[in-house]
Amino acid sequence: MKTYLYIFLLALSLPLKAICQIDTISESQKSMVAFVNGDFDLANNIMKNVLVKKSNPLLLNFMGDIQFALEKYSDAINYYKSAEKTQKRISHFNIAKAYIKINKIDSAFIVLNNYFDGYFNESSAKLSADNDFEILKQYPQWSTLMKKVKDNEITKQLEIAEYYINKNRAIDAFQVLNPIIKKHKNNHKAWFLRSCAYMIDNNYKSAIPDIEQALKLKHNNSEYLNKYADILFIAHKYSKSVEYYLLALKNNELLFDNFLKVSKAYFLNNRYLEAEKYSKLYLLLFPKNQESILIASESMAMQNNCIDALKCLNKSIEKDANFYRIRGLIYYKSEAFDLSINDFCKAIDLNNKLYDIFLWRGLAYYFNGNKDKAKSDWNLALKYKQYKANDYLVKYR
């Protein structure tokens, strides 16, 4: 017993990055991409094979979504119900919608009533505004259901707070949420929403403890993990944001956009090898994604892998300022200084607010033998708070 306890405690002591590395894309992620792109048959075929090997509530619920999109509503209900058996409340709205599609109105009301009998921390506004439920409003059971929902004061207040947050009205949201948190300290949704309200004002110092409390109360919630990672990213805590993006992805592999988020965080933390890896993973899902192409190519350039960087960059469809900026960097790293200067000039013409270009163009000018232009660019860079220019002005006098 002591041995098992020791192993458990050791596992808890490991840093998140030691247990959350993700090295490949999954078949379920490929299925989700097909679904997002409207290829429901391909999504269905992939997920059938996935569910043979593994099954969890999120994947079952997603398979229900696929069947719903294919208009196989009875099959959708079966998958949604299978998800519900292992994770309550995951598919209640979807089950009700599928019943509506096959004209089983009483069954739809039974599902919704059972849900709101036992759980209120969900937006009834979502129910009222969803067009798929419009048909239910003509039945007498609808008013009974709405009364049941609105009779719960906490639910009503959380809905109001969420409305204010969506309208960027942080002060109004605080007025609603502060009393709830004071009175109901275990309401994880209230803590989560207040962290969102703080972020409206970019007050991440207050947002972080609130989202941490929400996670303490509901630690496996992928939405909360992702929000925490977003806040950490905005707070420039890039290493820690990576850990939580990957943890959210581990809990819900359908959050494939986290590959892109992780690549951005690694890049901004000067971890170019890792940034290249995760941007390439995202490109396996979306080969034409401009942002991933740029991150991957610039990451390779920063590692002096200029040939592969240029090959990657040439996949870019859009020839914007960032394209020329990165190609200029690749040429600079290849010591093709004339080509580098030409591309940096094109980038500045397209967007003169990419201030780090003045640092790089200054270096290209210097090593191309034009020290005066180099000094002029570095002084411009200083004007735009690119303080690395000070080092160059001292080093390359």
Side-chain angles (χ1 to χ4, degrees):
M1 185 69 180
K2 287 182 178 178
T3 303
Y4 288 120
L5 179 60
Y6 172 76
I7 292 171
F8 175 71
L9 291 172
L10 179 63
L12 286 180
S13 69
L14 290 173
L16 284 173
K17 62 184 176 183
I19 59 174
C20 292
Q21 291 299 315
I22 297 170
D23 297 312
T24 186
I25 62 172
S26 69
E27 290 301 301
S28 56
Q29 287 163 353
K30 293 178 184 177
S31 178
M32 175 61 91
V33 171
F35 183 82
V36 169
N37 290 333
D39 194 341
F40 305 131
D41 287 321
L42 177 59
N44 185 43
N45 291 335
I46 296 173
M47 277 306 297
K48 279 182 180 177
N49 293 328
V50 170
L51 291 175
V52 169
K53 299 172 187 175
K54 62 179 177 179
S55 176
N56 63 50
L58 290 169
L59 296 181
L60 288 166
N61 187 69
F62 174 46
M63 188 57 159
D65 290 342
I66 294 172
Q67 303 311 306
F68 193 97
L70 290 169
E71 299 183 4
K72 297 179 180 179
Y73 301 117
S74 295
D75 290 341
I77 289 168
N78 291 333
Y79 281 111
Y80 289 143
K81 283 187 173 180
S82 296
E84 286 278 290
K85 286 178 184 177
T86 50
Q87 186 169 321
K88 296 296 183 185
R89 300 183 296 270
I90 188 173
S91 306
H92 48 280
F93 285 161
N94 292 334
I95 294 172
K97 288 182 185 183
Y99 274 130
I100 292 168
K101 292 293 185 181
I102 58 175
N103 203 30
K104 290 191 174 182
I105 302 301
D106 288 340
S107 297
F109 275 116
I110 288 170
V111 169
L112 293 172
N113 273 294
N114 286 341
Y115 170 71
F116 285 112
D117 273 338
Y119 187 69
F120 292 97
N121 208 3
E122 177 73 49
S123 174
S124 63
K126 177 182 175 183
L127 179 67
S128 299
D130 195 321
N131 289 333
D132 286 324
F133 294 116
E134 191 68 28
I135 193 172
L136 296 185
K137 296 178 183 179
Q138 63 182 286
Y139 292 89
Q141 298 100 307
W142 179 261
S143 58
T144 304
L145 179 65
M146 286 296 97
K147 185 177 186 304
K148 180 182 292 186
V149 173
K150 290 175 182 175
D151 279 347
N152 187 281
E153 187 62 28
I154 295 178
T155 299
K156 193 161 56 178
Q157 293 301 308
L158 289 174
E159 287 177 14
I160 292 169
E162 197 159 6
Y163 169 83
Y164 287 143
I165 289 166
N166 290 335
K167 296 292 184 182
N168 292 321
R169 292 166 57 181
I171 294 174
D172 293 326
F174 290 136
Q175 289 177 349
V176 175
L177 291 167
N178 288 341
I180 294 176
I181 289 172
K182 187 175 181 179
K183 200 171 181 180
H184 305 278
K185 295 187 184 299
N186 290 330
N187 192 304
H188 59 85
K189 186 67 176 284
W191 289 100
F192 169 72
L193 289 175
R194 196 170 72 172
S195 73
C196 295
Y198 278 126
M199 288 312 297
I200 292 171
D201 296 328
N202 291 320
N203 184 357
Y204 52 80
K205 289 183 179 178
S206 297
I208 287 175
D210 273 17
I211 193 65
E212 287 176 343
Q213 182 63 21
L215 279 168
K216 184 178 178 182
L217 294 167
K218 200 169 178 67
H219 61 278
N220 283 327
N221 188 301
S222 297
E223 182 185 11
Y224 295 2
L225 289 167
N226 241 21
K227 175 58 71 172
Y228 188 30
D230 286 340
I231 294 170
L232 291 167
F233 183 92
I234 293 169
H236 308 300
K237 299 177 185 291
Y238 300 122
S239 294
K240 198 170 181 182
S241 74
V242 163
E243 294 172 9
Y244 281 90
Y245 280 134
L246 291 177
L247 188 57
L249 186 58
K250 185 179 179 183
N251 283 349
N252 180 2
E253 60 188 292
L254 300 180
L255 295 171
F256 51 75
D257 280 344
N258 281 21
F259 287 128
L260 180 58
K261 292 180 178 181
V262 167
S263 72
K264 285 195 256 186
Y266 270 133
F267 184 85
L268 290 169
N269 205 31
N270 301 324
R271 298 276 296 274
Y272 301 119
L273 180 63
E274 293 90 344
E276 176 191 345
K277 169 186 168 181
Y278 282 98
S279 56
K280 284 182 173 178
L281 285 174
Y282 196 70
L283 285 170
L284 289 175
L285 295 170
F286 299 97
K288 296 180 181 179
N289 182 266
Q290 178 80 354
E291 195 169 9
S292 281
I293 289 171
L294 296 178
I295 293 172
S297 56
E298 187 166 0
S299 297
M300 286 186 273
M302 295 303 291
Q303 298 171 78
N304 296 313
N305 184 1
C306 296
I307 293 174
D308 288 340
L310 194 56
K311 285 180 182 177
C312 180
L313 185 64
N314 283 337
K315 295 175 184 176
S316 175
I317 296 171
E318 190 176 351
K319 303 295 190 288
D320 59 4
N322 267 314
F323 172 87
Y324 289 111
R325 173 187 163 277
I326 294 170
R327 198 172 71 174
L329 173 61
I330 294 168
Y331 287 145
Y332 168 78
K333 292 279 188 176
S334 304
E335 299 185 8
F337 300 121
D338 284 333
L339 293 175
S340 174
I341 291 165
N342 287 339
D343 271 1
F344 286 141
C345 289
K346 286 179 183 177
I348 291 168
D349 286 342
L350 290 169
N351 183 356
N352 62 4
K353 293 184 179 179
L354 295 174
Y355 302 129
D356 70 325
I357 294 178
F358 297 113
L359 290 173
W360 290 111
R361 193 175 67 174
L363 286 167
Y365 275 134
Y366 181 85
F367 290 111
N368 208 35
N370 196 330
K371 295 182 180 180
D372 289 338
K373 284 190 174 182
K375 185 177 179 181
S376 175
D377 265 3
W378 291 331
N379 282 321
L380 263 176
L382 278 177
K383 178 182 174 183
Y384 297 120
K385 300 180 180 180
Q386 301 291 309
Y387 297 117
K388 183 73 174 174
N390 272 322
D391 297 338
Y392 297 151
L393 286 165
V394 171
K395 185 176 180 180
Y396 301 119
R397 284 191 234 183

